[in-house]
Amino acid sequence: MTTTTNLENGLFSAADALRSKMDANQYKDYLLGTVFYKYLSDSQLYTIAELLGEDEATLTQAQQLYEQNASNTDLIQELQATFGYVIAPEYTYTNILKAVQNHTFQLKQLGDAFNKLESTGKEFDGLFEDYDLYSKRLGNTAQKQADTIAGVIAAIGKLEIVKTSGDSLGDAYEYLISQFASESGKKAGEFYTPQKVSELLTRLTLVDKDYSKGMTVYDPAMGSGSLLLNFRNYVKHPDRITYYGQEINTSTYNLARMNMILHHVEMANQVLRNGDTLDEDWPAEEVTNFDAVVMNPPYSLKWSAAEGFKEDPRFAAYGVLPPKSKADYAFLLHGFYHLKHSGAMAIVLPHGILFRGGTEGKIRQKLLENGAIAAIIGLPANLFYSTSIPTTIVVLKKDKTDRNVLFIDASKEFEKVKTQNVLRESDIQRIIDTYQKRVDVDKYAHLATFEEIQENEFNLNIPRYVDTFEEEEPVDVNQLLTQMKAIKQEEAQLTDQINTMMAELVGTTPEAKATLDLLKEVLK
């Protein structure tokens, strides 16, 4: 049995073969793609061994059994029914690893293996698009490129990634994604939301909800799918969640698909799309309203804001469109439109959405008049790999019976880990408790009435509602003067002692005497 920590260390050290050749944002595609293929291949081999009555077989033994029974049509049909794919004996990871070990490996062998799998069905179509076997970054010659890929195959080949405890492979995969995000810096913003922020968003949408009979969750800017998958950790029956997600970046969309499979999410429980959430609405033929909507979209992104969008049902009720220069409210309105009446939505956005005027101000006012905004939560700065700016979470609901808004200023509650700020479990719990109780907490939270917000001209900037100013301790001037006097007396005594010692010193050369005289002059 392999532990998550061993897997994490093994997987990340496998990146050494690539780390010197390209940055993390590029080599993640090779490493994650290789892990994914090995998982599919090894799962199939272990199942073959079990079906043939050899439960304890190693991968090498299972490969031999497979080669001996490759023409068994019953076996092949069973594999197809179980996995939805069948990897031929010559294309299993174990067989490719054997070629690496006996120095006969060629890139074509792996390329053909990927092509065969991708042609199996739409769920695998295009999954290895970014796995460029002939990239110059791998080496200037075909042999060097093959050597680099062989190094990755050999390193990951040492790891047991199927017979792991619980969900440790999925967790290790998440760990790799977070490590790549950390190494990639700003480029990571497009695919990863830090785990603690994901946890907070998820738990906010689950407050006072009972989804024991199942639920639907939707992330219109899903990135690697980590935020969606986080729901598994906080509901009683994770197998009853159906995941819906959309992602504009094809590479990141493929990453999310792999992430779902490695977390053992059934195909029937996931509907992921590669598309532009703003330009094209979620298709009407799919489920269009969700119990929970969560989102960490790219901040202040430009979008078309074409006049035709005023007729789009997502935006029509507001009479205006978010500005071309900032799509923040376009993402928010998209998500809110697809929220069930009984559901909850939590979205991370930059602070500007709280107070900017123009059409954004009009949309904000309309949302407040409709009682749609349940809470505004100010987060600490520097929580994300992609930006250091402070951000805010907006929680929205359609079934609120009042127009009050709870403001929480959580900007000062975090732990600094290396160069990033991180929410602690206690910080998250305090936010959740306060959100659930909806009461004032001195220097931390305030439940503002609609009239109060109206008086502030619908400006939601948090300092207008939560006063976190702390008066400084008064200074005792007399005590300070006494301390200064004592310090001066001590300084005078020390100077006298040094001068006495200096007087006993004698310079033995003209240069030493000149230096000594200079020192005595300084210490007078």
Side-chain angles (χ1 to χ4, degrees):
M1 194 73 76
T2 307
T3 66
T4 301
T5 304
N6 290 339
L7 256 183
E8 288 173 356
N9 293 338
L11 291 174
F12 200 61
S13 64
D16 289 344
L18 298 165
R19 200 171 269 123
S20 63
K21 300 179 187 297
M22 59 191 85
D23 66 33
N25 198 43
Q26 294 163 329
Y27 73 66
K28 79 177 191 323
D29 296 324
Y30 292 100
L31 198 57
L32 295 176
T34 307
V35 171
F36 180 70
Y37 191 77
K38 177 172 168 57
Y39 170 77
L40 297 183
S41 174
D42 290 1
S43 298
Q44 179 186 294
L45 281 184
Y46 280 131
T47 300
I48 288 169
E50 288 173 16
L51 290 170
L52 296 173
E54 299 289 344
D55 293 9
E56 303 301 320
T58 64
L59 285 169
T60 303
Q61 292 166 338
Q63 174 72 23
Q64 290 169 350
L65 285 170
Y66 187 24
E67 290 171 0
Q68 293 162 8
N69 293 274
S71 59
N72 183 330
T73 53
D74 292 336
L75 176 67
I76 301 303
Q77 285 173 4
E78 184 65 30
L79 292 177
Q80 185 65 46
T82 303
F83 296 107
Y85 64 87
V86 177
I87 299 174
E90 62 268 35
Y91 296 128
T92 63
Y93 194 97
T94 301
N95 198 50
I96 294 171
L97 177 62
K98 184 180 173 185
V100 168
Q101 290 166 340
N102 63 24
H103 307 290
T104 60
F105 170 73
Q106 294 183 351
L107 291 175
K108 185 177 182 304
Q109 186 181 8
L110 188 59
D112 288 346
F114 289 165
N115 290 336
K116 292 279 185 186
L117 181 65
E118 286 185 323
S119 64
T120 302
K122 67 175 184 179
E123 60 267 44
F124 300 105
D125 186 30
L127 268 180
F128 298 97
E129 265 184 11
D130 296 303
Y131 203 117
D132 185 357
L133 289 166
Y134 303 98
S135 169
K136 291 291 184 188
R137 292 190 181 93
L138 297 172
N140 291 327
T141 65
Q143 187 56 53
K144 286 182 178 176
Q145 291 160 5
D147 290 345
T148 302
I149 293 297
V152 176
I153 292 171
I156 292 175
K158 299 173 186 171
L159 300 173
E160 173 54 67
I161 63 174
V162 173
K163 294 185 175 180
T164 59
S165 56
D167 204 13
S168 54
L169 176 60
D171 293 342
Y173 201 74
E174 279 286 308
Y175 166 80
L176 274 183
I177 292 172
S178 70
Q179 289 300 308
F180 292 140
S182 176
E183 286 192 25
S184 300
K186 288 190 174 181
K187 292 175 185 174
E190 65 188 44
F191 69 84
Y192 186 71
T193 302
Q195 175 58 30
K196 289 299 179 186
V197 180
S198 290
E199 177 186 339
L200 179 56
L201 289 167
T202 302
R203 292 178 63 187
L204 282 167
T205 66
L206 295 174
V207 168
D208 297 331
K209 303 291 184 188
D210 178 8
Y211 292 124
S212 55
K213 294 182 179 176
M215 71 176 298
T216 53
V217 298
Y218 176 46
D219 183 348
M222 69 176 171
S224 62
S226 303
L227 183 47
L228 282 174
L229 286 164
N230 210 51
F231 277 84
R232 296 160 54 84
N233 302 322
Y234 302 101
V235 297
K236 284 183 183 174
H237 302 288
D239 55 323
R240 296 178 187 171
I241 301 173
T242 306
Y243 304 89
Y244 295 84
Q246 188 152 250
E247 171 57 43
I248 190 170
N249 183 300
T250 303
S251 303
T252 311
Y253 161 71
N254 287 333
L255 192 61
R257 293 164 69 198
M258 294 183 191
N259 208 2
M260 287 280 165
I261 293 172
L262 291 176
H263 280 85
H264 313 293
V265 176
E266 297 286 340
M267 286 296 172
N269 286 4
Q270 51 172 297
V271 181
L272 308 183
R273 297 185 74 247
N274 182 200
D276 186 329
T277 285
L278 300 183
D279 278 356
E280 292 180 50
D281 194 6
W282 184 257
E285 59 268 24
E286 303 283 357
V287 173
T288 56
N289 290 313
F290 308 95
D291 294 307
V293 177
V294 285
M295 206 184 327
N296 177 26
Y299 305 147
S300 302
L301 191 73
K302 290 180 182 175
W303 75 302
S304 75
E307 278 297 299
F309 280 118
K310 285 186 177 175
E311 307 300 321
D312 189 310
R314 297 172 294 172
F315 311 117
Y318 301 88
V320 294
L321 294 172
K324 282 186 179 181
S325 58
K326 294 179 179 64
D328 300 325
Y329 270 102
F331 281 111
L332 183 148
L333 294 182
H334 170 93
F336 190 58
Y337 175 75
H338 289 291
L339 182 67
K340 272 186 186 175
H341 185 73
S342 57
M345 170 178 168
I347 179 172
V348 187
L349 289 169
H351 268 216
I353 60 106
L354 301 177
F355 53 79
R356 289 196 295 253
T359 58
E360 290 182 293
K362 290 176 182 175
I363 293 168
R364 188 168 61 243
Q365 180 175 339
K366 187 79 173 176
L367 288 166
L368 289 163
E369 288 172 345
N370 292 341
I373 298 179
I376 300 291
I377 301 165
L379 296 176
N382 206 27
L383 282 181
F384 297 89
Y385 297 115
S386 55
T387 177
S388 60
I389 64 168
T391 50
T392 187
I393 292 177
V394 183
V395 183
L396 300 106
K397 300 176 79 173
K398 289 182 175 176
D399 61 351
K400 268 177 78 223
T401 55
D402 61 49
R403 297 192 288 181
N404 299 342
V405 176
L406 179 70
F407 290 84
I408 298 176
D409 185 349
S411 61
K412 296 180 178 60
E413 304 199 350
F414 60 87
E415 178 182 23
K416 193 167 183 61
V417 178
K418 296 181 181 175
T419 59
Q420 293 291 135
N421 294 334
V422 178
L423 291 173
R424 294 161 296 196
E425 205 57 40
S426 57
D427 302 326
I428 293 173
Q429 191 58 52
R430 190 181 187 202
I431 293 170
I432 297 293
D433 289 344
T434 307
Y435 172 73
Q436 192 160 22
K437 292 173 182 169
R438 293 183 73 77
V439 293
D440 283 14
V441 179
D442 188 36
K443 309 290 183 190
Y444 185 70
H446 174 58
L447 183 63
T449 63
F450 178 75
E451 291 71 26
E452 190 177 352
I453 294 167
Q454 199 170 28
E455 285 173 13
N456 276 296
E457 298 176 329
F458 302 101
N459 184 322
L460 299 180
N461 204 21
I462 297 171
R464 288 184 178 233
Y465 303 92
V466 183
D467 179 10
T468 57
F469 178 75
E470 297 278 358
E471 284 192 15
E472 291 188 9
E473 290 277 328
V475 177
D476 185 335
V477 177
N478 290 331
Q479 186 183 21
L480 184 64
L481 288 172
T482 302
Q483 289 172 346
M484 290 173 66
K485 188 176 176 183
I487 290 170
K488 284 190 75 69
Q489 286 175 344
E490 188 178 353
E491 181 187 11
Q493 287 172 359
L494 286 171
T495 303
D496 286 345
Q497 289 174 10
I498 292 170
N499 284 334
T500 300
M501 289 188 285
M502 292 290 291
E504 294 173 0
L505 297 175
V506 177
T508 54
T509 65
E511 292 79 11
K513 186 173 184 306
T515 302
L516 193 58
D517 289 343
L518 187 60
L519 274 172
K520 288 177 179 176
E521 186 65 26
V522 169
L523 292 170
K524 271 185 180 176

